Amino acid sequence: MELVRFTVAESDVDTFLERRQEAIKEVKAAHPALWSVPLCSRRDDGTWVDVWIYESKEAADAANADAENLPRFLAMAELLDDIEIEATDMPERAVSPL
């Protein structure tokens, strides 16, 4: 699982949310081991948290390595600032594929 923290300019929030939906579709099509992207929320301090769940760490690494070939993902990412990504392990039985 990747827990992504970032900021988005207030003027870009609607664009970010639209681009995020397209980015998820694009990443899922290119990397079927993306199981779920169940949560994106803005915290009280203005930062955002987005959760991306992959079948394995290797699958997440492969998707990240392929980012330059995913224009919709890049269009979403260009709106983000102060990005922090925390990769965590989840027990296999904790989630199931889409």
Side-chain angles (χ1 to χ4, degrees), residues 5-57:
R5 293 180 199 89
F6 53 90
T7 59
V8 175
E10 188 61 36
S11 60
D12 290 333
V13 169
D14 289 338
T15 302
F16 159 68
L17 293 172
E18 291 170 11
R19 289 182 184 183
R20 180 179 177 272
Q21 292 304 313
E22 293 303 313
I24 292 168
K25 291 176 193 172
E26 179 181 57
V27 174
K28 179 69 176 164
H31 298 276
L34 173 62
W35 278 357
S36 180
V37 188
L39 171 73
C40 184
S41 65
R42 184 171 20 192
R43 298 164 38 161
D44 288 341
D45 66 1
T47 61
W48 289 75
V49 176
D50 203 357
V51 177
W52 292 64
I53 301 172
Y54 290 87
E55 181 179 296
S56 66
K57 180 183 181 319

Side-chain angles (χ1 to χ4, degrees), residues 2 11 18 25 28-29 32-33 35 37 42 47 49 56 58-59 61 63-64 66 68 71 77 81 85-86 89-90 98:
E2 290 183 343
S11 60
E18 291 170 11
K25 291 176 193 172
K28 179 69 176 164
W35 278 357
V37 188
R42 184 171 20 192
T47 61
V49 176
S56 66
E58 294 77 20
D61 291 344
N64 288 325
D66 192 35
E68 66 186 30
D81 292 310
I85 301 172
E86 179 182 350
D89 288 326
M90 294 181 66
L98 296 173

